[in-house]
Amino acid sequence: EVQLVQSGAEMKKPGESLKISCKTSGYGFTSYWIGWLRQMPGKGLEWMGIIYPDESETKYSPSFQGHVTISADKSINTAYLQWSRLKASDTAMYYCARLYGDYRYWYFDMWGRGTLVTVSS
Amino acid sequence: QSVLTQPPSVSAAPGQKVTISCSGSSSNIGNNYVSWYQQLPGTAPKLLMYENNRRPSGIPDRFSGSKSGTSATLGITGLQTGDEADYYCGTWDSSLSLWMFGGGTKLTVL
């Protein structure tokens, strides 16, 4: 069974760093892109970026490039999303999801349950 | 503002049919496949439709998808109160090299 298990909720202060995780199981981790998506309170889904774990190739949305880093550890089948300096506007639910298919046919077929990040002084 | 345009809300009575549109351009919907996601209140999104009109295992045939040119449509027949959710379309944009979602449509079953 394919599973994406995300790390627990986080409460941080502005300026702090954070790394959240998405541990996968049940499939070949290095064979599929993994994406990170943001959902701010009461808002829609936003694509942040994706990583291909086998080569650690990444693609970022211009909206998030430079503010977050997506990485992966093949040895433990886990993808990460990290911030070096959080802002209050980073308060949101963050989802990881597996990207299935080839790029013209891509779709997010499996999702984690989300990690709630709250940034407040 | 999303590049893929969806109506903010739609509503219909139980048992009725509703359609949700998703409008894009030649660099996204026009040349790539569309998927749809259902997000029930307080839960993570779930894949509802992929490759324009294919249903994952477990999705009832009350849900259908179609695409024409630069627009896609999700149809839901025999509406149930359990269908109340936010629905998102998504696809890859080949010119921008990024994935995009529509702004989401809130379905209310009256």
Side-chain angles (χ1 to χ4, degrees):
Chain A
E1 180 192 7
V2 175
Q3 289 191 314
L4 285 72
V5 179
Q6 297 188 231
S7 48
E10 301 275 1
M11 290 198 68
K12 292 288 189 179
K13 290 180 166 48
E16 292 185 333
S17 63
L18 175 65
K19 191 174 188 178
I20 62 175
S21 65
C22 173
K23 182 167 179 57
T24 74
S25 61
Y27 74 97
F29 178 65
T30 55
S31 299
Y32 296 86
W33 292 82
I34 287 271
W36 285 95
L37 305 107
R38 184 176 79 174
Q39 188 167 40
M40 299 178 77
K43 302 297 184 183
L45 297 170
E46 299 174 272
W47 181 82
M48 302 177 72
I50 52 176
I51 186 166
Y52 192 68
D54 193 38
E55 301 154 2
S56 287
E57 180 182 353
T58 53
K59 300 180 188 290
Y60 289 93
S61 164
S63 300
F64 295 94
Q65 177 94 46
H67 185 54
V68 298
T69 301
I70 296 172
S71 60
D73 186 335
K74 292 189 289 187
S75 68
I76 55 173
N77 297 339
T78 300
Y80 300 96
L81 177 66
Q82 68 180 85
W83 297 259
S84 57
R85 290 185 63 82
L86 285 160
K87 305 175 184 177
S89 57
D90 292 319
T91 295
M93 182 72 83
Y94 293 87
Y95 296 101
C96 65
R98 185 178 75 167
L99 198 55
Y100 192 94
D102 196 2
Y103 86 95
R104 288 189 63 234
Y105 302 77
W106 268 342
Y107 52 94
F108 289 102
D109 70 328
M110 300 298 297
W111 293 68
R113 292 190 175 185
T115 296
L116 181 62
V117 174
T118 303
V119 184
S120 175
S121 54
Chain B
Q1 188 168 353
S2 304
V3 177
L4 302 183
T5 303
Q6 296 181 234
S9 63
V10 295
S11 62
Q16 296 299 302
K17 172 183 176 178
V18 71
T19 60
I20 299 172
S21 61
C22 175
S23 177
S25 69
S26 58
S27 63
N28 44 67
I29 293 179
N31 278 288
N32 298 309
Y33 287 78
V34 177
S35 49
W36 290 89
Y37 304 86
Q38 177 192 58
Q39 187 174 30
L40 297 169
T43 70
K46 179 179 79 171
L47 178 66
L48 192 66
M49 198 72 58
Y50 65 100
E51 294 178 10
N52 301 335
N53 56 13
R54 301 185 69 177
R55 285 177 284 106
S57 174
I59 301 300
D61 59 7
R62 299 188 298 106
F63 294 89
S64 64
S66 64
K67 189 184 97 167
S68 178
T70 58
S71 293
T73 302
L74 176 70
I76 312 173
T77 60
L79 278 170
Q80 302 173 0
T81 55
D83 296 332
E84 286 201 333
D86 293 320
Y87 293 85
Y88 296 90
C89 60
T91 190
W92 183 253
D93 189 292
S94 301
S95 295
L96 300 175
S97 291
L98 53 80
W99 179 274
M100 49 185 53
F101 288 103
T105 300
K106 183 176 183 61
L107 169 63
T108 302
V109 181
L110 303 167

